[in-house]
């Protein structure tokens, strides 16, 4: 329970600032939400049962992998911590995409979203994710919240990795591991956009 609580708190810490930024950058959004009513209800229905579970689940897997990597590397019988970054990177992308598809289908069943059609719900996933990295929809909030949450884990892993040491040393001394983690952050957003764009073209 303590592990799940920590993941939830960490997820909220990563989600809320990005969510506030998204609201501030969306014209008229702040006024609409301040008025309450249906607009606020729809927004909360998107964030609480949809977005927050995505961020928590992605971070749960990330924290689990990180703890496993840290334990094994500390005992001297595990792989280089750099391997954790690779596994976590692709796990985050895969889970993020998969959970979006699942939640969209559930929303079609439970709330009648997408005309109540599961097929339509699935068809919307790729176009939505293709625009998320550009912060054009609320999925961008969830994407950046999960990527922001991964930065401290990547910094820690990069500091302990002997294989990544040459890459980390390429950057100025105080910020080597942080700069590397930020590169992974950018790569995650770019990779998701590329994958989603490919799916959009295949569906066309």
């Amino acid at each position: 329970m303590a592990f799940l609580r920590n993941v939830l708190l960490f997820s909220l810490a990563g989600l809320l600032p990005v969510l506030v930024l998204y609201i501030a950058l969306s014209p008229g959004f702040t006024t609409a939400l301040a008025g309450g009513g249906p607009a606020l209800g729809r927004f909360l229905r998107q964030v609480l049962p949809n977005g927050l579970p995505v961020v928590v689940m992605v971070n749960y897997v990330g924290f689990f992998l990180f703890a496993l990597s840290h334990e094994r590397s500390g005992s001297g019988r595990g792989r280089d911590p750099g391997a954790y970054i690779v596994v976590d990177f692709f796990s985050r992308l895969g889970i993020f995409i998969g959970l979006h598809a699942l939640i969209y289908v559930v929303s079609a069943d439970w709330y009648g979203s997408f005309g109540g059609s599961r097929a339509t719900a699935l068809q919307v996933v790729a176009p939505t994710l293709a625009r998320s990295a550009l912060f054009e929809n609320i999925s961008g909030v969830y994407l950046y919240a999960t990527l922001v949450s991964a930065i401290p884990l990547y910094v820690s892993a990069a500091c302990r990795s002997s294989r990544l040491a040459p890459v980390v040393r390429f950057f100025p001394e105080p910020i080597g591991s942080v700069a590397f983690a930020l590169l992974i952050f950018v790569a995650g957003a770019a990779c998701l956009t590329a994958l989603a764009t490919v799916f959009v073209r295949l569906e066309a």
Side-chain angles (χ1 to χ4, degrees), residues 61-129:
V61 174
F63 270 82
F64 176 79
L65 291 174
F66 178 77
L68 187 63
S69 168
H70 201 282
E71 178 184 349
R72 289 185 174 180
S73 64
S75 65
R77 55 186 176 85
R79 295 181 178 180
D80 184 273
Y84 152 77
I85 296 178
V86 176
V87 174
D88 181 83
F89 179 85
F90 289 105
S91 296
R92 283 180 184 270
L93 290 181
I95 295 171
F96 187 80
I97 294 171
L99 285 178
H100 263 78
L102 175 62
I103 287 176
Y104 279 23
V105 169
V106 171
S107 295
D109 287 341
W110 290 5
Y111 305 120
S113 304
F114 313 107
S117 170
R118 294 182 177 181
T120 301
L122 290 175
Q123 291 172 356
V124 170
V125 173
T128 299
L129 296 183

Side-chain angles (χ1 to χ4, degrees), residues 153-177:
L153 308 184
Y154 290 169
V155 170
S156 177
C159 286
R160 295 182 290 112
S161 173
S162 58
R163 292 185 178 180
L164 293 177
V167 180
V168 172
R169 286 198 298 265
F170 177 79
F171 299 98
E173 183 66 28
I175 62 168
S177 57

